[in-house]
Amino acid sequence: MDLSFDEIAAQFDDQRGLPSDALREWIALVDSFARKRALRVVEPGIGTGRIALPLAVAGHRVTGVDISAPMLDECARRARELDVAGRMTLLEGDATSLPVDDHSCDLGVMASLLYLVPDWDAVLDELHRVVVPGGVIVHLVERTESGENLRLWDAAWRERIEGAGYRHASLHPTPDEVMTEFRRRWPDTRVQRLASWTFGQSVDEGRHRFGERLRPLYAGVIESEWQRAVDGFLRWSEGAFPDPAIRLDGDVVLEALIART
Ligand SMILES: C[S@@+](CC[C@H](N)C(=O)[O-])C[C@H]1O[C@@H](n2cnc3c(N)ncnc32)[C@H](O)[C@@H]1O
């Protein structure tokens, strides 16, 4: 998938932060592997540290690897802000060939990464290499289901941006494909549901700076086509949702796929 996070690093967490209950469950899960020790955690595709920084705050040592220098810069800035920079090692590199020694970590974690990596099963090989035998690998999955209004909203945008020549790639691997691959490698893989919540915004919030917010995700679309798609979509939204307070909501379930190496 051709998507670079360089342009969106500064806003990334504002758009995708986990709610505090979910973070609490995530930290509790990791602490349950730790038995009061500080773990050596590695996260390929760490991004801005959304799921890894809370682990450093909880006392674990984190090595984060990412191909985007701006995402790592943002992660480093947040680590300093949280006063955990001393427990974070941030490395520019590829998840399919981690710049990390064999068996040097107790826990490997990942989230929202595999669909960005064409040879995604190589990421699993790498985690298996760097995690100690008997260590743990966790894949965090957010399963989302849009409500009716959000489905309409997304479909209308999709129709207009595809009219401008953009083609949405289907996301691969699906959570079920990842599960199959985990079970093939680590037969005792189990799934634990950590949290669920509703996400969303009002139509008014959804329209606010709509084009500006989405532009970095559609870098290949030429400006005139882009403007036409955005204007057409906003016009459609005025007709479909005349009341700006209407909600565009959905539900999320956060699950952890947990394997012992
Ligand atoms: C959607 S973000 C997720 C960040 C973080 N894991 C989270 O859940 O918040 C995906 C991150 O993976 C990085 N990435 C994409 N392909 C990568 C690769 N082959 N190796 C390392 N990082 C990669 C991107 O630069 C981006 O920072």
Side-chain angles (χ1 to χ4, degrees):
M1 183 186 223
D2 183 18
L3 174 58
S4 164
F5 286 80
D6 292 0
E7 306 290 328
I8 52 175
Q11 319 142 18
F12 185 73
D13 274 15
D14 299 341
Q15 293 171 5
R16 311 220 21 248
L18 291 179
S20 54
D21 283 358
L23 271 182
R24 230 188 335 271
E25 293 302 320
W26 167 229
I27 294 167
L29 174 71
V30 170
D31 284 345
S32 74
F33 307 133
R35 300 206 190 90
K36 302 203 183 343
R37 290 173 302 142
L39 294 178
R40 297 163 299 171
V41 180
V42 61
E43 186 187 359
I46 188 171
T48 56
R50 182 178 67 122
I51 65 161
L53 283 172
L55 303 183
V57 171
H60 303 291
R61 305 192 69 83
V62 175
T63 298
V65 179
D66 204 287
I67 45 168
S68 165
M71 292 295 266
L72 289 174
D73 289 347
E74 184 61 17
C75 186
R77 190 187 66 73
R78 285 165 192 250
R80 286 192 298 275
E81 222 169 67
L82 293 165
D83 204 17
V84 295
R87 288 201 284 280
M88 301 285 298
T89 303
L90 296 175
L91 304 169
E92 209 173 321
D94 198 298
T96 59
S97 59
L98 293 172
V100 177
D101 289 341
D102 293 1
H103 306 325
S104 59
C105 304
D106 306 297
L107 170 66
V109 302
M110 41 182 176
S112 305
L113 169 69
L114 295 179
Y115 69 92
L116 298 165
V117 185
D119 46 347
W120 57 274
D121 53 344
V123 180
L124 307 189
D125 291 338
E126 276 298 85
L127 282 174
H128 193 80
R129 177 182 68 75
V130 303
V131 169
V132 288
V136 181
I137 296 177
V138 176
H139 184 226
L140 273 188
V141 182
E142 286 150 81
R143 291 185 186 263
T144 55
E145 185 155 353
S146 302
E148 179 60 19
N149 290 343
L150 184 53
R151 270 202 295 275
L152 279 175
W153 177 273
D154 286 342
W157 169 245
R158 211 180 161 103
E159 192 183 312
R160 277 157 190 83
I161 195 64
E162 296 212 334
Y166 182 86
R167 289 288 161 268
H168 285 91
S170 56
L171 290 190
H172 174 78
T174 63
D176 293 337
E177 287 170 319
V178 177
M179 165 71 101
T180 302
E181 193 57 28
F182 260 62
R183 289 229 156 105
R184 197 178 66 72
R185 287 155 190 269
W186 307 294
D188 293 338
T189 296
R190 65 186 173 91
V191 181
Q192 186 170 329
R193 183 184 164 123
L194 296 181
S196 59
W197 64 93
T198 297
F199 69 95
Q201 57 188 348
S202 66
V203 161
D204 195 33
E205 289 162 333
R207 284 195 197 117
H208 179 64
R209 295 172 53 223
F210 179 83
E212 198 185 318
R213 282 187 289 124
L214 288 190
R215 187 64 172 117
L217 300 176
Y218 297 93
V221 178
I222 60 169
E223 190 54 31
S224 54
E225 291 290 337
W226 172 257
Q227 265 321 323
R228 200 160 42 173
V230 170
D231 293 346
F233 174 75
L234 291 174
R235 252 192 327 273
W236 167 85
S237 80
E238 302 278 349
F241 299 113
D243 176 357
I246 290 174
R247 299 290 305 173
L248 305 167
D249 287 340
D251 297 312
V252 185
V253 174
L254 179 69
E255 286 176 357
L257 217 61
I258 304 167
R260 282 265 170 205
T261 56

